[in-house]
Amino acid sequence: ILVVGMAFARFFARPSVRPALRTTSASPRALCARPPRAMKSEDEWRKILSPEQFRVLRQKGTEYPGTGEYNKFYPKKGDGAFVCGGCGTKLYDNETKFDSGCGWPAFYQGVEGKVLELPDPDGMRVEIVCANCGGHLGHVFRGEGFDTPTNARHCVNSVSLKYVKDA
């Protein structure tokens, strides 16, 4: 195991292979890999999250399309924000939510520095996570032709979010 671990570490130490972390803002910037601030043990997360929240936020699960609380929820502009269901960090202003028809809440942009993009292990998609606690939010897709300022769609699990009025 030690030999495999060392080979793995050397492989990912090469700059051409190392996955890049970046924020999901209009002007993405590279970040240093750092552990999230809201680190908790698996037992601590299980105590504060519902079983479904734990499955999605901590185990990278996915809700069934069209079943989430916020899929068809559109609050008045400027009336609140969407925060992380795990740690309460503000992730999305409600003005960035739009109807993509995908079956999950869609946003065209996260709050600056609060949503991180990580390459999925499958190499096909880009995962989005809360920058504070590392909770799995969903995936981001670009170039789909939506009429949004960023031409990006953050496809987010409802259970990963909470809507806070007047946030």
Side-chain angles (χ1 to χ4, degrees), residues 84-141:
C84 177
C87 69
T89 297
K90 183 178 173 181
L91 301 174
Y92 297 99
D93 291 315
N94 71 2
E95 291 88 357
T96 64
K97 190 172 188 307
F98 69 102
D99 185 4
S100 69
C102 70
W104 291 274
F107 302 86
Y108 63 80
Q109 177 176 300
V111 172
E112 176 93 27
K114 302 301 181 186
V115 179
L116 297 181
E117 296 181 9
L118 305 168
D120 242 8
D122 66 11
M124 309 270 301
R125 300 178 302 175
V126 176
E127 179 187 16
I128 48 178
V129 299
C130 172
N132 190 50
C133 71
H136 173 75
L137 304 173
H139 293 87
V140 62
F141 303 92

Side-chain angles (χ1 to χ4, degrees), residues 10-91:
R10 276 196 307 268
F11 178 75
F12 277 95
R14 295 186 352 228
S16 61
V17 178
R18 193 173 335 151
L21 293 176
R22 60 181 206 155
T23 60
T24 57
S25 64
S27 57
R29 65 179 196 263
L31 296 177
C32 296
R34 62 171 171 73
R37 286 176 270 155
M39 292 299 294
K40 292 181 177 15
S41 71
E42 187 171 312
D43 287 338
E44 289 173 310
W45 282 119
R46 284 187 192 279
K47 287 177 186 172
I48 62 172
L49 299 174
S50 72
E52 180 67 356
Q53 284 178 309
F54 184 83
R55 186 183 72 79
V56 174
L57 283 164
R58 307 315 311 167
Q59 297 178 323
K60 301 182 187 297
T62 302
E63 296 174 315
Y64 285 106
T67 62
E69 177 181 2
Y70 301 122
N71 181 39
K72 296 291 182 184
F73 175 72
Y74 297 96
K76 292 181 200 173
K77 301 257 186 238
D79 202 23
F82 293 87
V83 302
C84 177
C87 69
T89 297
K90 183 178 173 181
L91 301 174

